[in-house]
Amino acid sequence: MRVRKPDVRRRLSDVFSHVESISLDFVLGSATVELSDADEEKKAVRTSSDKLELLIEGLAGELKNNGLGLFLFVDEFQDMSAEVMMTLITVQHKMGQRNLPFYVIGAGLPNLPGVLTKARSYAERLFEYRPIGRLNDTAVADGFQKPARELGYSFDDEALARLVDLSHGYPYFIQAYGKASWDASDSNPISVSAVEKGETVARAELDQGLYVSRWQRATPLGREYLAAMAAIGETCTSAQVAKLMNRSVSDLSSIRLSLIELGLVYSPERGRIAFTVPGMDEFIRLVMPSESQSYDGRA
């Protein structure tokens, strides 16, 4: 917790003394916060949800008195366990009703709004949603060029154009292709030959770290749906997928919903469906993993 004033830090520490312990189960395991010297009145608070609410209320109250606020940042919010997500949303709602400065700032896949609403029916009223799309070509070029120049290097025009094309405006792609090109280069400026040498390495990293794990999450029928989408393109309509699979749209509605809930696809507008990760369609078309391949537990 970043608080510069010693007296404020001391008062916040006093707040912790009122709660004995908090244990919450997150998607990748559990977390327990041990707090000592709880007084008898506060020991009557039994559940971890109640304890968390008590703790946040105390911290937010002290911070408000000093013109500050309590902010909780959550990445991959859609993967949080339903129980913890419901608890956080409920606490945030209560703090808002009490005019206390507690805010949850979450980032996640396009299916996040639906996940939040499923956890708490009123969640859509508590959050302000700001879609973050792909980076434009200028921003992508800067993502490659600026770090290289800070180290006394640069990419030549042909290399940079190829990297911009490969990255699809996706930050993770910039990291993968940029690193592979850097490692493969033996010249300054870095040439397109280094980019071409690094492509195989970067692609293998993306396949194993990004695409394979997502493919494994889907059921056999879900994989058929994804393969049909990939055959059509990165974005398509539900009717197009149903026609290609020789099924009706209604027959496939449940599998479409399950893929959305898994964060593999999303609906950019009514009747349309798209992959959440750029390049997934190309991966499926080129590699077409075995339908019998089971999920190995990778995120």
Side-chain angles (χ1 to χ4, degrees):
M1 188 174 295
R2 299 179 180 178
V3 181
R4 295 180 179 178
K5 298 179 180 179
D7 59 323
V8 177
R9 287 202 301 269
R10 177 182 52 77
R11 290 198 298 273
L12 292 179
S13 296
D14 290 341
V15 173
F16 279 92
S17 68
H18 292 296
V19 182
E20 187 177 24
S21 68
I22 296 175
S23 180
L24 295 172
D25 292 324
F26 293 88
V27 65
L28 296 178
S30 62
T32 302
V33 179
E34 295 294 342
L35 308 167
S36 59
D37 300 327
D39 58 46
E40 291 302 319
E41 179 182 355
K42 302 302 181 181
K43 282 183 179 179
V45 180
R46 297 297 182 185
T47 69
S48 287
S49 296
D50 291 337
K51 293 173 184 177
L52 181 63
E53 180 183 340
L54 175 66
L55 178 62
I56 290 175
E57 181 179 25
L59 293 174
E62 285 293 344
L63 289 167
K64 180 181 179 180
N65 292 336
N66 290 271
L68 303 172
L70 181 61
F71 298 82
L72 177 64
F73 293 85
V74 184
D75 194 14
E76 301 292 352
F77 202 180
Q78 78 283 340
D79 287 335
M80 179 176 284
S81 72
E83 180 183 359
V84 177
M85 182 179 289
M86 181 175 63
T87 297
L88 285 178
I89 293 173
T90 301
V91 171
Q92 183 192 42
H93 183 46
K94 289 181 178 180
M95 296 303 106
Q97 291 176 322
R98 298 168 194 170
N99 197 30
L100 291 174
F102 172 60
Y103 306 95
V104 177
I105 296 88
L109 294 173
N111 66 321
L112 178 57
V115 175
L116 292 171
T117 301
K118 187 175 181 180
R120 275 297 185 192
S121 60
Y122 53 76
E124 70 278 1
R125 304 195 306 271
L126 299 180
F127 291 92
E128 177 183 344
Y129 299 101
R130 298 187 180 183
I132 301 175
R134 302 184 191 185
L135 299 174
N136 59 39
D137 287 355
T138 300
V140 172
D142 286 344
F144 289 112
Q145 199 72 285
K146 285 185 176 181
R149 284 177 173 164
E150 288 176 0
L151 296 174
Y153 287 79
S154 66
F155 292 93
D156 67 26
D157 291 343
E158 190 178 2
L160 193 59
R162 178 60 179 162
L163 287 169
V164 169
D165 183 57
L166 287 169
S167 69
H168 299 291
Y170 195 53
Y172 186 27
F173 285 37
I174 295 174
Q175 294 174 356
Y177 284 107
K179 179 180 183 299
S181 300
W182 178 273
D183 291 343
S185 176
D186 57 3
S187 65
N188 189 13
I190 300 170
S191 67
V192 71
S193 63
V195 176
E196 293 170 347
K197 290 178 183 177
E199 280 186 38
T200 302
V201 175
R203 187 71 202 188
E205 178 184 333
L206 292 171
D207 285 352
Q208 294 302 316
L210 194 63
Y211 298 125
V212 171
S213 60
R214 282 167 170 75
W215 175 262
Q216 290 177 348
R217 292 178 189 175
T219 63
L221 183 56
R223 293 174 185 177
E224 288 184 36
Y225 195 101
L226 295 176
M229 286 181 59
I232 299 167
E234 188 176 4
T235 180
C236 54
T237 67
S238 300
Q240 287 175 312
V241 175
K243 182 179 180 179
L244 191 60
M245 296 180 66
N246 198 27
R247 303 277 291 272
S248 69
V249 173
S250 59
D251 284 344
L252 296 172
S253 60
S254 61
I255 192 63
R256 176 179 179 272
L257 178 60
S258 70
L259 292 172
I260 291 175
E261 291 177 342
L262 286 170
L264 302 179
V265 302
Y266 75 105
S267 178
E269 58 185 76
R270 185 175 179 82
R272 298 195 67 82
I273 196 77
F275 291 103
T276 56
V277 177
M280 186 72 182
D281 57 321
E282 182 181 2
F283 166 75
I284 294 174
R285 287 195 302 269
L286 294 177
V287 181
M288 199 57 195
S290 169
E291 290 187 7
S292 63
Q293 187 180 62
S294 60
Y295 181 42
D296 62 9
R298 283 178 286 186

